[in-house]
Amino acid sequence: VRSGGLTSTMTGHNDFVLSVTYAPDGSFIASGSKDRTVLFWDPRFAASHLMLRGHRNSVISLSMSQTSKCFATGSGDGCVRVWRYQQEGHNKM
């Protein structure tokens, strides 16, 4: 990398952002927070379009599957959760 620059800033969580991951195809970003939520973001517009809840403590880690429409979250509540999603244009997530 020779140079770099900020392309966007996304705000929407109510507490610290602890994890961030890009979808394998780059079509969205998912972030996990101390507010116990996962937000899905459209990187083209820096806008959130879906919030998922389910953990009882901070979402510390996120990992997208490279081969299926699933991702996993790890939390301070001691749970790993596996989620399935659908991208827009193929029904709602």
Side-chain angles (χ1 to χ4, degrees), residues 13 30-32 36-40 50-52 59 62 71 73:
H13 282 291
S31 59
R36 305 179 309 207
T37 66
V38 174
L39 286 178
F40 281 83
L50 178 67
M51 178 186 289
L52 297 177
V59 179
L62 286 164
F71 69 100
T73 55

Side-chain angles (χ1 to χ4, degrees), residues 1 4 25 39 41 50-51 54 66-67 71-72 83 87-89 91:
V1 176
D25 65 2
L39 286 178
W41 305 88
L50 178 67
M51 178 186 289
Q66 300 296 307
T67 58
F71 69 100
W83 309 75
Q87 292 178 266
E88 289 186 29
N91 297 323

Side-chain angles (χ1 to χ4, degrees), residues 4-83:
L6 180 67
T7 60
S8 62
T9 300
M10 300 170 205
T11 59
H13 282 291
N14 293 321
D15 212 328
F16 300 117
V17 175
L18 302 171
S19 54
V20 177
T21 187
Y22 254 100
D25 65 2
S27 63
F28 65 87
I29 296 168
S31 59
S33 171
K34 190 174 176 186
D35 67 9
R36 305 179 309 207
T37 66
V38 174
L39 286 178
F40 281 83
W41 305 88
D42 184 330
R44 298 168 299 167
F45 305 108
S48 66
H49 54 90
L50 178 67
M51 178 186 289
L52 297 177
R53 292 185 168 114
H55 284 290
R56 288 185 246 144
N57 205 321
S58 304
V59 179
I60 298 167
S61 61
L62 286 164
S63 181
M64 290 283 176
S65 171
Q66 300 296 307
T67 58
S68 66
K69 301 290 186 186
C70 293
F71 69 100
T73 55
S75 171
D77 62 12
C79 294
V80 172
R81 294 181 187 257
V82 178
W83 309 75

